[in-house]
Amino acid sequence: METELSKQLGIEHAIFGFTPFPEVAAAITRAGGFGVLGAVRYTAPDDLARDLDRLHALADGKPYGLDVVMPAKKVEGVTEADVEAMIPAEHRGFVRELLAGHGVPELAEGEVSGWRITGWMEEVARGQLDVAFDYPIKLLANALGSPPADVIERAHDHGVLVAALAGSARHARRHAEAGIDVVVAQGYEAGGHTGEIGSMVLVPEVVEAVAPLPVLAAGGIGSGEQAAAGIALGAQGVWLGSLWLTTEEADLHSPALTAKLLAAGSGDTVRSRALTGKPARQLRTAWTDAWDDAAGPGTLPMPLQGLLVAEAVSRIQKYEVGELLGTPVGQIVGRMNSERSVRAVVDDLTRGFERAVTRMNRIAGRSAT
């Protein structure tokens, strides 16, 4: 699965794996792909440095990258406390009633919420970059559009390629104009924040819109045959996130959540604002149903929603409250039916890719070489 981009980065397979777990990112890299560690959950630079130390040690000298969440426009002087103060009392009451209705226990006295995403904040994200550039990362990806111009320049000064996710050709053109090196065309099927255009339509539109920049296909890809389809549409590789959640190296800290993922079908996800305030594909649960119900107060815009539900999500996860327990995941969850090693997943992807190429060569009357 070699392409121009994979050769440029020095990887064997054009498989880019996004994950919040350093062990998974390292295993993807060791298996010949390109592991990308998600940084948004890190609030303290020391925590990110600890996990980058681990990723670097486990990567065996092979390349890896980092994914951050930075808005292109900077907002000065806004603290987390300022944002917290903007959350309406009605919404706080709705969360309390929802948790009480499902019998979710309180956290222990003095226990701090473990799920608190503040990586979107300017000072936190820039602190992450101060750490990241001390490591030999080869790619910096941004999940919230193009990063600020000075961040792109700083990455390029360090010899780091910059990627950005796009849900439409219009977004992709903006990335190209901003100086991005790689565009990730993420279709509607993808887990987490995603747009409204399906991958089969989106990928060729983005490829055409930003040529000759390399494009990675993302969303609904979980087999080698699907990877081959993305490359046939003009992509130079595939960007996979959901598929790694049920690998042996992943650390979800929840056997109940792993079991729900393994049992879920492709129709068991929903695109909801319940988690962050932006449309994000996740497992459909009583939690998402409650927030999407017209009888409720409705979700708040990002980042208010994420801060509002942070403690609630921690309590749901800690006590494994089945009806409410969920996670961002794409429609490819229907193929995630067993726990396997990252190496086994990569091997399956490459074998499927070979089968697809052989089949197409046979149809075209060419020998497979």
Side-chain angles (χ1 to χ4, degrees):
M1 292 183 66
E2 282 190 341
T3 64
E4 291 182 13
L5 180 60
S6 69
K7 292 176 182 177
Q8 182 180 358
L9 289 168
I11 59 177
E12 184 179 359
H13 308 301
I15 298 171
F16 294 74
F18 164 81
T19 174
F21 308 115
E23 292 81 4
V24 175
I28 294 168
T29 285
R30 290 197 308 272
F34 190 92
V36 181
L37 179 66
V40 71
R41 67 191 179 98
Y42 296 97
T43 58
D46 288 348
D47 291 338
L48 177 58
R50 177 202 64 217
D51 279 2
L52 280 174
D53 280 340
R54 183 157 181 75
L55 169 54
H56 185 72
L58 293 173
D60 290 346
K62 296 181 178 180
Y64 56 87
L66 190 73
D67 180 279
V68 297
V69 177
M70 289 192 74
K73 295 180 180 179
K74 183 175 181 178
V75 180
E76 298 281 2
V78 178
T79 68
E80 186 176 339
D82 295 331
V83 178
E84 285 270 14
M86 298 169 64
I87 298 175
E90 176 190 11
H91 285 75
R92 293 191 185 279
F94 181 76
V95 171
R96 286 194 298 270
E97 292 175 7
L98 182 55
L99 296 179
H102 287 271
V104 183
E106 299 276 354
L107 295 177
E109 186 175 351
E111 185 175 358
V112 179
S113 167
W115 190 93
R116 193 168 185 82
I117 292 178
T118 55
W120 50 267
M121 297 185 68
E122 182 76 19
E123 64 269 26
V124 175
R126 288 187 177 272
Q128 293 170 349
L129 294 178
D130 290 339
V131 171
F133 289 127
D134 286 337
Y135 293 81
I137 63 171
K138 298 299 182 184
L139 179 76
L140 177 68
N142 191 46
L144 198 64
S146 303
D150 68 294
V151 171
I152 297 174
E153 182 178 0
R154 186 179 178 189
H156 288 166
D157 288 344
H158 282 81
V160 176
L161 296 180
V162 180
L165 276 66
S168 71
R170 176 170 53 87
H171 292 156
R173 291 189 194 96
R174 289 179 184 171
H175 295 338
E177 292 166 359
I180 294 297
D181 304 293
V182 181
V183 176
V184 181
Q186 180 170 278
Y188 173 81
E189 308 94 327
H193 296 131
T194 189
E196 299 180 347
I197 304 173
S199 297
M200 286 292 287
V201 173
L202 178 66
V203 173
E205 285 187 351
V206 170
V207 168
E208 182 178 352
V210 301
L213 288 184
V215 172
L216 298 177
I221 299 174
S223 72
E225 287 84 354
Q226 291 168 315
I231 292 175
L233 292 171
Q236 288 200 30
V238 291
W239 178 277
L240 312 178
S242 298
L243 198 61
W244 316 109
L245 289 173
T246 52
T247 57
E248 295 169 356
E249 292 87 347
D251 191 8
L252 289 177
H253 298 293
S254 174
L257 180 55
T258 298
K260 287 190 76 171
L261 288 169
L262 293 174
S266 56
D268 292 328
T269 69
V270 63
R271 198 163 155 268
S272 171
R273 298 177 184 268
L275 195 60
T276 68
K278 282 183 175 290
R281 186 170 297 286
Q282 55 204 279
L283 282 179
R284 182 177 181 179
T285 65
W287 174 264
T288 61
D289 286 347
W291 280 105
D292 295 339
D293 191 331
T299 56
L300 297 170
M302 189 180 190
L304 300 182
Q305 183 74 12
L307 291 175
L308 167 66
V309 306
E311 181 181 318
V313 172
S314 284
R315 289 164 60 185
I316 292 166
Q317 291 177 345
K318 177 179 180 178
Y319 300 111
E320 296 191 306
V321 183
E323 289 185 334
L324 301 177
L325 189 62
T327 186
V329 69
Q331 292 179 333
I332 200 62
V333 69
R335 291 185 62 95
M336 296 157 52
N337 301 319
S338 64
E339 291 186 77
R340 299 180 293 164
S341 69
V342 167
R343 170 69 70 173
V345 172
V346 172
D347 286 347
D348 185 57
L349 288 167
T350 56
R351 284 194 298 267
F353 178 82
E354 290 173 357
R355 286 194 301 269
V357 171
T358 299
R359 183 182 306 119
M360 295 307 294
N361 277 326
R362 185 171 63 248
I363 292 171
R366 301 187 182 95
S367 60
T369 57

